[in-house]
Amino acid sequence: MKVIFAGTPEFAAVALQSLHEAGFEIPLVLTQPDRPAGRGMQLQPSAVKQYAVSKGIEVLQPLSLRMDSKDPQRAEEAKAAHARLLATPYDVMVVAAYGLILPRSTLDIKPCLNIHGSLLPRWRGAAPIHRAIEAGDTETGITIMEMEEGLDTGPMLLIERVAIENSDTTGSLHDKLAALGGKMIVDALNKMKAGQLQATVQPEEGVNYASKISKEEAALDFSQPAVEISRKIRAFNPFPGAHGTVNGVNIKLWGAEVLDGGNAQAGKVLSADAQHGIVVACGTGSLRLTQLQKPGGKRLPAAEFIKGFPLEGLSFS
């Protein structure tokens, strides 16, 4: 089978590598344009582009695939991309975290399969891994689905489940799901080739939308229950990084344990020493902060952090 692949971040690059190593012919890869990144804000290629270039696979980076865009440049790039797709012999398009909307004109060329990082229809949308952890879900998984114009509404082809451990962050869960997605898309295409892939319509109940994560969400409100704050810390690790403010200094919080008790004012640092660790009162219960980072510094265990940033008697806001 000839596969055109569309994706951008590391999650997608893992799937692309799996397809390539499984022997599928990949004549073309679509990915988003290079973006400024790092301290120097130099243009950086996506993880998908880096892998494709390393394997000599042609890469196309249109700003849009919508030929009816009101932006002349985007419309022209979309027309060129559409013409390139029509001129490229392929059997199926595989999409994973591409970041651009596929219009009907693209979906109508050949079948399009999507690797989605949740158990549909539980979390449709841009940030299913973050939202599953934030909501306290005990499991998630990968759904291989047929793409249609709706947002993650297409029929489901394959589903596999993964437990969400209490220690999982978005980073660790991402890696588990990326590996699973790579394995599953290879299985799905092999079954498609053999005529063994069956579609199941998504149920209408249980639909939630995993909206894109904003940096503003990462500012913690310590009047919330400790268990909810702990989930946010895990959900926003590694991006955008949950944080609280102490004496006007923005402190990022990368790890925490939920404790009972803590009837003091929410945000009050109850202890900050080597014996008890950094314990902060919350709306309900309290948190023992285990890993913190001050501006310009490194992530540090709590015992190391308080050596350079005493917190005894202070409050988070």
Side-chain angles (χ1 to χ4, degrees):
M1 297 181 73
K2 293 183 178 180
V3 181
I4 286 183
F5 187 87
T8 299
E10 184 63 28
F11 181 89
V14 173
L16 176 60
Q17 180 178 352
S18 295
L19 291 169
H20 184 265
E21 292 180 350
F24 289 96
E25 184 177 344
I26 306 171
L28 181 66
V29 161
L30 303 180
T31 191
Q32 289 209 40
D34 298 358
R35 305 292 188 195
R39 291 188 176 182
M41 296 302 287
Q42 298 294 314
L43 288 177
Q44 299 291 332
S46 71
V48 162
K49 180 179 178 178
Q50 291 179 52
Y51 183 82
V53 169
S54 74
K55 301 303 178 182
I57 303 172
E58 181 182 354
V59 176
L60 202 61
Q61 297 176 270
L63 288 168
S64 173
L65 292 174
R66 303 188 72 93
M67 295 185 286
D68 59 353
S69 173
K70 295 181 179 180
D71 183 314
Q73 181 182 357
R74 290 176 181 268
E76 285 302 312
E77 290 198 15
K79 291 175 183 177
H82 185 70
R84 185 71 184 84
L85 290 173
L86 291 175
T88 303
Y90 70 101
D91 301 296
V92 61
M93 178 181 286
V94 171
V95 181
Y98 181 26
L100 293 183
I101 295 173
L102 268 61
R104 172 54 57 190
S105 57
T106 300
L107 297 173
D108 282 345
I109 301 174
K110 293 287 183 179
C112 294
L113 305 190
N114 179 244
I115 307 169
H116 186 72
S118 85
L119 301 174
L120 288 171
R122 171 60 176 158
W123 293 111
R124 296 174 178 171
I129 301 176
H130 297 78
R131 299 305 182 190
I133 293 177
E134 184 184 17
D137 291 2
T138 58
E139 66 174 4
T140 184
I142 291 288
T143 305
I144 306 295
M145 57 173 285
E146 294 180 15
M147 293 192 71
E148 55 184 33
E149 285 187 286
L151 179 62
D152 300 327
T153 58
M156 303 178 294
L157 302 170
L158 291 179
I159 295 179
E160 288 197 28
R161 300 174 182 272
V162 172
I164 300 178
E165 307 294 342
N166 289 334
S167 59
D168 270 325
T169 65
T170 288
S172 66
L173 193 54
H174 166 281
D175 292 349
K176 295 177 188 178
L177 294 178
L180 178 60
K183 178 187 78 71
M184 288 177 64
I185 193 60
V186 170
D187 292 344
L189 294 188
N190 284 331
K191 288 182 178 180
M192 174 183 277
K193 185 177 181 180
Q196 299 172 346
L197 203 56
Q198 297 184 342
T200 301
V201 175
Q202 291 189 38
E204 296 181 2
E205 300 79 23
V207 175
N208 294 278
Y209 289 94
S211 56
K212 186 177 180 180
I213 301 297
S214 68
K215 291 185 177 180
E216 290 73 22
E217 290 182 80
L220 297 176
D221 177 2
F222 283 87
S223 67
Q224 294 182 332
V227 66
E228 293 184 13
I229 299 172
S230 173
R231 290 173 189 162
K232 289 180 183 291
I233 291 172
R234 292 163 50 218
F236 300 149
N237 181 354
F239 176 84
H243 58 85
T245 302
V246 178
N247 280 355
V249 180
N250 197 333
I251 305 297
K252 286 200 171 184
L253 309 177
W254 297 110
E257 300 170 353
V258 177
L259 304 176
D260 294 329
N263 296 320
Q265 181 179 355
K268 179 73 173 179
V269 178
L270 303 178
S271 67
D273 54 57
Q275 181 180 359
H276 303 98
I278 301 172
V279 179
V280 182
C282 303
T284 303
S286 58
L287 286 176
R288 177 179 285 117
L289 305 179
T290 58
Q291 191 179 52
L292 306 88
Q293 181 181 15
K294 65 182 180 181
K298 298 179 180 179
R299 296 190 188 191
L300 294 174
E304 293 297 317
F305 183 84
I306 56 178
K307 291 179 181 178
F309 199 108
L311 291 171
E312 189 72 50
L314 301 180
S315 294
F316 279 87
S317 61

